[in-house]
């Protein structure tokens, strides 16, 4: 065993491990968990442990030097920009503001800027801040220091005029103003079905050349159910449509590329988010290369913690989700990150929620030092392979949209909506079967929770692609239960008939309690008084006791008897078990208990 100068032994002197050894050890663990049998061969371990994404990409559980090396990713700040559009780590802490009262918005903005926020994402026009109130809301804000990105919806021309007038009144050189005008007619079309000529957004770039004119908002596709590659492909197609409009308006391609900022969703799946942002830059760098301007292909990225993953139930878990998502966005190289407050689903966030949101980025940068290294995930075989395969999948979807005539034509024809609906159906199925767990909602729900109260938030625009939430199906069931509680004074309740000792029936008692709670249904183990009952016990007890227990439950008034586990027995109407469709079961049980939809 060799020793280094400081007396520490070197790990390289350990005997080399082989993939075959790993497979044998992994197989032993899989057999203990029940995921493999004695007949399972070691060579089957790779398939058992591999993960298939919603894009159909197969992610192996083990990557070694024997695997084919991923393509070169370059250096941070250099083409193909996979490792970041900038040579240094770190990100712009961008807080969202969507209020209408200029006094309240101003107070929130100044508090944010005084406590670490470096730029603002400001909803204006429509249900956002009135354009006439911009000067009042931004009173005291140094517009040449704090970046302001407008979110104007369809009012982007009027918003740009109001913004330009404000800069002039403040004596701020537009070339020194940070942020952007936020024009995104294609994103508005996707959200609402309302068409605005793309050329109107291009006209802003010509009229205000010093200001970044266009935001390509891909979160609309994410919230409609898109996979990561579908989100990237839709964003790339929209970006290319804007490039065409900008160059048709007379801008050189280098300037046209500089007018775009892309907005992506960051989720709690940290590795997928890291790979998505890296792949997005690679795809866009390829677009810039094909346009003859590779050096201008560094994609400007604004990552927003996913609205789709936020829950109304057990909202404090959202703090963990957004922390993971922010970490992933920072590691993935996002230029700006917006953290949605944990109470996002409950209404307008309060001061504490806003503080926690901005401090998420600050903690990761200042205390966890995530910003000290550019592309820290670079070199990981898993991340590099994931990035490469995701980029190819995104490019395939982008070119499919292009062959269909571009974003507008693909939205009009239903190509995009149909593809995203199919992906959402797969995702919704996995959520319903609890293969994609949602902590605090589908797993470990708390029926006794008291949710914080918030004033209502502005109603988001609709009419185009749907806005999905991962927890929507389970939370609809919880809403039904809450309404039943308010009307009757009690929760819908299922009786659990326990067989055997506590040690024997305990695991299924816990499983059944949590499953029913996910639908807002309480359980009782006392005297049977419910129209729905569930038999819980070990498998060995069911052969002799399931049938007489079911008969006794029916005699006590139960009209439906379920079994925790699997197996067909007389008197049993259905089953609850791992891998079953929880939404279907809970919907049926609520109906049997007389809970209105």
């Amino acid at each position: 065993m060799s020793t280094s100068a400081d007396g520490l032994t070197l790990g390289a002197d350990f005997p080399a491990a082989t993939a075959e050894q790993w497979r044998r050890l992994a197989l032993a663990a899989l057999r203990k968990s029940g995921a493999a049998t004695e007949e399972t061969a070691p060579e089957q371990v790779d398939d058992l442990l591999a993960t298939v994404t919603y894009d159909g990409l197969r992610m192996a559980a083990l990557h070694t030097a024997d695997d084919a090396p991923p393509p070169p990713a370059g250096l941070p700040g250099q083409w193909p920009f996979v490792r970041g559009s900038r040579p240094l780590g770190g990100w712009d802490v961008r807080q969202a503001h969507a209020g209408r009262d200029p006094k309240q918005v101003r107070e929130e903005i100044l508090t944010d800027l005084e406590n670490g926020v470096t730029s603002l994402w400001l909803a204006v026009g429509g249900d956002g801040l009135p354009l006439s109130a911009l000067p009042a809301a931004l009173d005291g804000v140094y517009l040449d220091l704090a970046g302001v990105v407008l979110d104007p919806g369809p009012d982007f021309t009027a918003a740009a005029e109001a913004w330009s007038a404000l800069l002039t009144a403040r004596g701020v050189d537009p070339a020194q103003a940070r942020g952007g005008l936020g024009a995104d007619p294609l994103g508005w079309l996707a959200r609402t079905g309302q068409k605005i000529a793309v050329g109107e957004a291009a006209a802003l770039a010509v009229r205000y050349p010093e200001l970044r004119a266009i935001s390509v908002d891909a979160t609309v596709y994410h919230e409609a159910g898109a996979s990561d590659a579908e989100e990237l492909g839709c964003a790339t197609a929209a970006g290319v449509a804007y490039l065409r409009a900008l160059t048709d308006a007379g801008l050189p391609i280098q300037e046209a590329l500089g007018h775009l900022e892309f907005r992506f969703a960051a989720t709690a799946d940290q590795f997928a988010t890291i790979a998505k942002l890296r792949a997005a830059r690679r795809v866009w760098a390829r677009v810039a290369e094909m346009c003859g301007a590779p050096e201008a292909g560094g994609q400007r990225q604004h990552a927003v913690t996913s609205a789709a993953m936020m829950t109304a139930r057990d909202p404090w878990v959202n703090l963990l989700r957004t922390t993971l998502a922010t970490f992933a966005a920072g590691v993935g190289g996002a230029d700006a990150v917006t953290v949605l407050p944990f109470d996002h689903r409950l209404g307008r966030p309060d001061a504490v929620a806003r503080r926690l949101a901005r401090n998420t980025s600050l903690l990761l940068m200042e205390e966890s030092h995530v910003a000290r290294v550019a592309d820290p995930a670079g070199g990981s075989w898993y991340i590099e392979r994931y990035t490469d395969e995701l980029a190819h999948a995104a490019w395939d979807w982008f070119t499919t949209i292009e062959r269909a005539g571009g974003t507008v034509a693909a939205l009009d024809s239903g190509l995009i909506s149909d593809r995203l609906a199919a992906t959402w159906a797969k995702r919704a199925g996995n959520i319903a079967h609890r293969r994609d767990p949602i902590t605090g909602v589908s797993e470990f729900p708390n029926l006794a929770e008291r949710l914080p109260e918030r004033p209502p938030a502005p109603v988001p625009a609709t009419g185009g692609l749907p806005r999905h939430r991962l927890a929507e199906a389970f939370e609809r069931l919880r809403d039904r239960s809450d309404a039943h509680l308010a009307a009757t004074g009690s929760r819908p309740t299922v009786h659990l008939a326990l067989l055997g000792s506590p040690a024997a029936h305990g695991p299924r008692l816990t499983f059944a309690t949590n499953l029913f709670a996910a639908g807002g249904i309480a359980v009782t183990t006392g005297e049977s008084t419910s129209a729905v009952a569930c038999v819980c016990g070990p498998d060995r007890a069911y052969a002799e006791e399931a049938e007489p227990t079911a008969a006794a439950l029916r005699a006590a008034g139960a009209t439906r008897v379920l079994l925790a586990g699997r197996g067909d027995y007389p008197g049993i109407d259905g089953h609850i078990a791992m891998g079953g469709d929880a939404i279907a079961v809970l919907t049926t049980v609520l109906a049997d208990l007389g809970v209105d939809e």
Side-chain angles (χ1 to χ4, degrees):
M1 180 72 70
S2 58
T3 304
S4 63
D6 59 4
L8 298 177
T9 56
L10 301 180
D13 286 336
F14 283 100
T18 66
E20 288 69 25
Q21 289 175 318
W22 173 82
R23 290 188 181 93
R24 287 196 296 271
L25 291 171
L27 179 57
L30 289 171
R31 284 171 174 163
K32 287 182 179 179
S33 70
T37 66
E38 292 300 323
E39 288 71 34
T40 304
E43 55 268 20
Q44 295 176 279
V45 166
D46 298 79
D47 290 332
L48 287 173
L49 293 179
T51 300
V52 179
T53 73
Y54 286 103
D55 291 303
L57 308 181
R58 182 183 180 277
M59 298 291 106
L62 179 68
H63 295 261
T64 71
D66 294 332
D67 296 328
L75 296 174
Q78 297 182 18
W79 192 91
F81 302 106
V82 174
R83 307 199 64 192
S85 298
R86 297 165 288 109
L88 300 175
W91 60 90
D92 175 13
V93 181
R94 184 175 296 174
Q95 191 89 318
H97 295 267
R100 288 186 55 82
D101 180 357
K103 181 180 179 181
Q104 182 179 5
V105 170
R106 177 179 181 271
E107 291 175 355
E108 292 175 348
I109 285 174
L110 293 180
T111 299
D112 285 342
L113 293 174
E114 290 167 0
N115 290 279
V117 165
T118 53
S119 72
L120 311 170
W121 183 20
L122 187 58
V124 296
D127 290 331
L129 184 74
L131 295 176
S132 60
L134 263 178
L138 295 175
D139 183 28
V141 177
Y142 295 98
L143 301 180
D144 53 345
L145 297 177
V148 178
V149 176
L150 303 180
D151 189 355
D155 302 325
F156 53 81
T157 299
E161 293 171 352
W163 180 245
S164 178
L166 179 59
L167 294 178
T168 300
R170 296 277 185 88
V172 177
D173 182 354
Q176 301 301 316
R178 299 168 55 206
L181 301 178
D184 186 17
L186 293 177
W188 187 253
L189 171 63
R191 284 209 182 275
T192 68
Q194 301 172 13
K195 288 187 179 180
I196 303 171
V198 176
E200 293 186 30
L204 292 185
V206 175
R207 188 173 176 185
Y208 307 102
E210 302 93 344
L211 301 173
R212 190 181 296 269
I214 296 172
S215 294
V216 182
D217 189 356
T219 64
V220 57
Y221 307 107
H222 168 79
E223 291 172 27
S227 65
D228 290 335
E230 288 164 352
E231 182 184 349
L232 299 188
C234 289
T236 304
V240 167
Y242 288 132
L243 288 183
R244 292 193 181 105
L246 291 167
T247 53
D248 288 347
L251 289 182
I253 186 62
Q254 292 84 353
E255 292 184 24
L257 286 162
H259 270 286
L260 271 61
E261 179 178 77
F262 289 76
R263 185 174 299 130
F264 297 110
T267 73
D269 187 341
Q270 58 184 342
F271 294 116
T273 295
I274 293 168
K276 178 168 72 174
L277 295 177
R278 298 173 91 250
R281 291 192 295 271
R282 180 179 177 189
V283 170
W284 192 243
R286 176 61 174 153
V287 169
E289 181 188 31
M290 295 179 71
C291 292
E295 72 287 349
Q299 186 182 72
R300 173 81 181 177
Q301 294 180 334
H302 173 202
V304 183
T305 57
S306 166
M309 75 177 178
M310 303 292 276
T311 65
R313 303 291 174 165
D314 207 350
W316 299 274
V317 180
N318 291 330
L319 292 167
L320 305 178
R321 297 185 178 101
T322 54
T323 299
L324 283 168
T326 306
F327 171 83
V331 171
D335 299 283
V337 179
T338 295
V339 180
L340 297 182
F342 79 91
D343 53 0
H344 174 75
R345 285 292 170 200
L346 301 178
R348 280 186 54 80
D350 69 359
V352 172
R354 300 184 63 81
R355 181 186 182 194
L356 292 171
R358 64 177 179 260
N359 282 348
T360 301
S361 280
L362 299 179
L363 183 147
L364 289 169
M365 285 195 285
E366 303 298 334
E367 295 189 32
S368 299
H369 309 302
V370 174
R372 288 193 175 187
V373 179
D375 190 35
S380 159
W381 239 238
Y382 172 68
I383 291 295
E384 297 291 4
R385 178 60 59 193
Y386 201 164
T387 299
D388 180 56
E389 293 185 8
L390 189 55
H392 279 88
W395 188 265
D396 287 344
W397 175 230
F398 155 61
T399 53
T400 298
I401 295 173
E402 284 291 284
R403 285 193 296 270
T407 298
V408 175
L411 286 169
D412 286 346
S413 69
L415 173 67
I416 290 177
S417 61
D418 290 347
R419 170 90 172 240
L420 271 52
T423 303
W424 171 251
K426 294 178 184 177
R427 194 186 303 274
N430 283 336
I431 293 170
H433 288 79
R434 304 202 296 177
R435 290 188 287 266
D436 289 355
I438 305 173
T439 303
V441 179
S442 68
E443 305 288 339
F444 313 112
N446 178 13
L447 284 184
E449 69 181 352
R450 297 186 62 182
L451 298 176
E453 296 183 2
R454 298 288 185 265
V459 178
T462 58
L465 296 175
R467 287 178 181 260
H468 288 300
R469 296 181 295 109
L470 301 184
E472 62 187 32
F474 281 100
E475 291 189 337
R476 280 197 296 267
L477 298 177
R478 293 283 295 274
D479 291 343
R480 290 175 60 186
S481 172
D482 285 354
H484 184 82
L485 173 63
T488 67
S490 62
R491 289 266 180 210
T493 303
V494 166
H495 172 72
L496 301 184
L498 307 180
L499 304 182
S501 66
H505 64 237
R508 280 180 170 153
L509 167 62
T510 300
F511 173 82
T513 300
N514 281 309
L515 173 66
F516 288 121
I521 302 168
V523 299
T524 178
T525 58
E527 185 177 346
S528 176
T529 57
S530 174
V532 178
C534 182
V535 181
C536 297
D539 287 341
R540 62 179 179 273
Y542 288 160
E544 295 183 359
E545 298 184 58
E547 181 178 2
T549 301
L553 291 169
R554 291 187 188 281
T559 58
R560 183 175 181 82
V561 180
L562 304 174
L563 183 83
R566 302 189 185 278
D568 296 325
Y569 303 98
I572 298 298
D573 300 309
H575 303 80
I576 59 170
M578 292 291 294
D581 188 337
I583 293 296
V585 168
L586 295 171
T587 300
T588 300
V589 170
L590 284 174
D592 290 339
L593 293 174
V595 179
D596 296 332
E597 293 190 14

